[in-house]
Amino acid sequence: TSGRLAPLVTARVRMSISSIVAPVWACTAAGNTSSGIVVGQSAVVSNSLSSSNGFNGIVLSSGGMAIHSAARQNVVGFSGADGNTIEGCTSESNTEDGIRINARGFVRGNLLRANTNEGIQAIGNSNRIEGNEANSNGTGIRVCTVDPGMAGT
């Protein structure tokens, strides 16, 4: 009987994961008037390219991830909300920031090159920036924390 139960459990897990995470995989978004790729909460963008869009290249909602993707010649390459992971990505030649994240973000192993403002701009608390390469940006990596006593002023 245990052989019969294993496939049913696996099917339930797959259905549960797919209902939470809507992956964008191996897609290209270029020349759009606003943003290139915009995903909802906890979604994953992987192996994708967003270039020459009118505003953001790849926009992540809370808990979203971008993995092994690239953003080129947008205003902001990767724009994240709270709790995002951006790993193994390339962001270059954007007119503002390469990667812009809010609080509790994890940014690791990315290449940031020739962005006009910051390669990485982390706004908020509890961000982890690790093992990135930032070359020829306005500022390589800028970390700005929010003072809880100043909130709302």
Side-chain angles (χ1 to χ4, degrees):
T1 57
S2 64
R4 291 182 195 166
L5 293 178
L8 294 175
V9 171
T10 303
R12 275 192 229 155
V13 170
R14 284 186 189 149
M15 184 171 64
S16 175
I17 290 172
S18 66
S19 67
I20 295 170
V21 179
V24 174
W25 183 74
C27 294
T28 298
N32 298 290
T33 57
S34 185
S35 295
I37 299 171
V38 179
V39 296
Q41 186 172 356
S42 300
V44 177
V45 177
S46 179
N47 298 298
S48 295
L49 169 65
S50 186
S51 66
S52 302
N53 296 293
F55 194 55
N56 294 313
I58 297 174
V59 181
L60 304 171
S61 295
S62 294
M65 297 176 70
I67 304 166
H68 304 294
S69 295
R72 296 182 176 99
Q73 299 174 335
N74 303 287
V75 175
V76 175
F78 293 85
S79 180
D82 290 345
N84 295 129
T85 298
I86 302 173
E87 187 168 2
C89 294
T90 299
S91 189
E92 58 189 352
S93 301
N94 296 291
T95 58
E96 287 187 15
D97 301 332
I99 295 175
R100 183 183 295 167
I101 60 166
N102 287 331
R104 297 178 306 284
F106 182 52
V107 180
R108 177 171 66 184
N110 301 289
L111 173 61
L112 302 309
R113 182 174 42 215
N115 298 291
T116 303
N117 291 344
E118 281 77 34
I120 299 172
Q121 183 179 59
I123 304 167
N125 295 313
S126 302
N127 289 302
R128 182 172 173 180
I129 314 297
E130 176 182 305
N132 298 282
E133 183 179 332
N135 306 332
S136 302
N137 301 288
T139 300
I141 300 170
R142 182 182 307 271
V143 178
C144 307
T145 58
V146 177
D147 180 352
M150 298 298 289
T153 59

